Amino acid sequence: MRKIIEQSNKNLTESLAYQLELNTIPVGISARHVHLSLDHIDILFGKGYQLRIHKELSQPGQFAAKESVMIAGPKGTIDKVRILGPARCTTQVEVSLTDAHRLGISPPIRDSGDLAGSSPITIIGPKGSIYLKEGAIIASRHIHMSEEDARQFQVHDREKVHVVSQTKRGVIFSDVKIRVSADYRLEFHIDTDEANAAGLTNQDRVWILK
């Protein structure tokens, strides 16, 4: 009888752990990085240059390239900033607030691709450099999820929710935008400043609080 009870308790614990994981979201921390257009890759690395894959990222089809660049602002520079591929229609630089202070720029908090009125920045590669009148942002915190994930969490595309972390420095993140696509894999994206403040690391789990 004792063994039956112990096995029953073990099964219950494993079931509860499984249910808990089903209702949590893995964390993905975005360090500073650059997305480049094809014409800007040509300027920075040479005509016809193709980015090489360093490692695949969690979102399908996305990768960290072996190549990196320097970014520069009025007060300073940051070297070895990773390029993320594949190439995009528009070049974009994503930094944290700490990075922005170091560079001497004031980028707005924006969704990826929303660059109107964003901060100017210079990008320097081995073959040339480009100056963007606008292009540097601090990325808004958001959750990538598939349509099936959205049904499970009972949310919809572009809805805003709160996200709870239960680390030793637990934080409630507000205004977290849901981004739904068949091409997305479930992940809560924050930058390094936000992760450090909450004591979060990659693949930690967080909860949605609607």
Side-chain angles (χ1 to χ4, degrees):
M1 178 63 72
R2 181 177 178 181
K3 288 184 178 180
I4 293 174
I5 293 173
E6 288 177 349
Q7 184 62 45
S8 178
N9 287 338
K10 180 182 178 182
N11 291 343
L12 178 60
T13 300
E14 290 176 350
S15 176
L16 289 172
Y18 176 71
Q19 290 298 321
L20 178 62
E21 184 167 333
L22 280 179
N23 290 293
T24 61
I25 300 168
V27 174
I29 301 167
S30 295
R32 66 181 79 99
H33 61 271
V34 175
H35 299 281
L36 293 175
S37 64
L38 283 173
D39 56 335
H40 285 164
I41 293 174
D42 285 348
I43 293 171
L44 296 171
F45 293 94
K47 186 70 174 177
Y49 190 90
Q50 294 186 348
L51 298 175
R52 299 167 297 160
I53 297 176
H54 171 63
K55 68 175 181 179
E56 302 288 345
L57 300 179
S58 58
Q59 297 306 310
Q62 305 295 305
F63 64 89
K66 290 184 178 181
E67 292 78 11
S68 62
V69 292
M70 177 185 289
I71 56 175
K75 291 186 177 180
T77 62
I78 300 177
D79 198 9
K80 297 181 180 179
V81 178
R82 185 73 68 182
I83 299 169
L84 301 190
R88 291 194 176 185
C89 295
T90 306
T91 293
Q92 172 178 302
V93 179
E94 296 182 33
V95 296
S96 68
L97 184 58
T98 298
D99 294 333
H101 290 327
R102 178 174 169 182
L103 295 166
I105 61 176
S106 300
I109 299 173
R110 294 279 182 82
D111 292 343
S112 180
D114 184 4
L115 302 178
S118 58
S119 288
I121 195 161
T122 298
I123 304 174
I124 304 165
K127 298 291 186 179
S129 65
I130 54 175
Y131 172 75
L132 302 176
K133 292 183 178 179
E134 50 189 24
I137 63 169
I138 297 172
S140 301
R141 56 181 78 114
H142 58 276
I143 301 173
H144 287 289
M145 59 173 64
S146 67
E147 294 170 355
E148 182 178 345
D149 293 325
R151 286 191 293 270
Q152 176 188 323
F153 287 97
Q154 299 181 358
V155 294
H156 56 80
D157 188 43
R158 306 192 73 80
E159 179 178 352
K160 288 190 176 181
V161 297
H162 299 299
V163 168
V164 180
S165 71
Q166 292 190 341
T167 60
K168 290 183 179 179
R169 305 186 72 184
V171 167
I172 296 178
F173 295 94
S174 62
D175 293 326
V176 180
K177 184 175 288 186
I178 302 295
R179 296 172 61 181
V180 180
S181 170
D183 298 327
Y184 288 160
R185 184 172 295 164
L186 185 64
E187 197 166 49
F188 172 49
H189 279 188
I190 51 176
D191 67 25
T192 51
D193 281 359
E194 294 172 305
N196 290 337
L200 287 167
T201 59
N202 279 314
Q203 297 306 306
D204 280 345
R205 313 290 295 198
V206 293
W207 291 260
I208 284 180
L209 176 64
K210 294 186 69 177

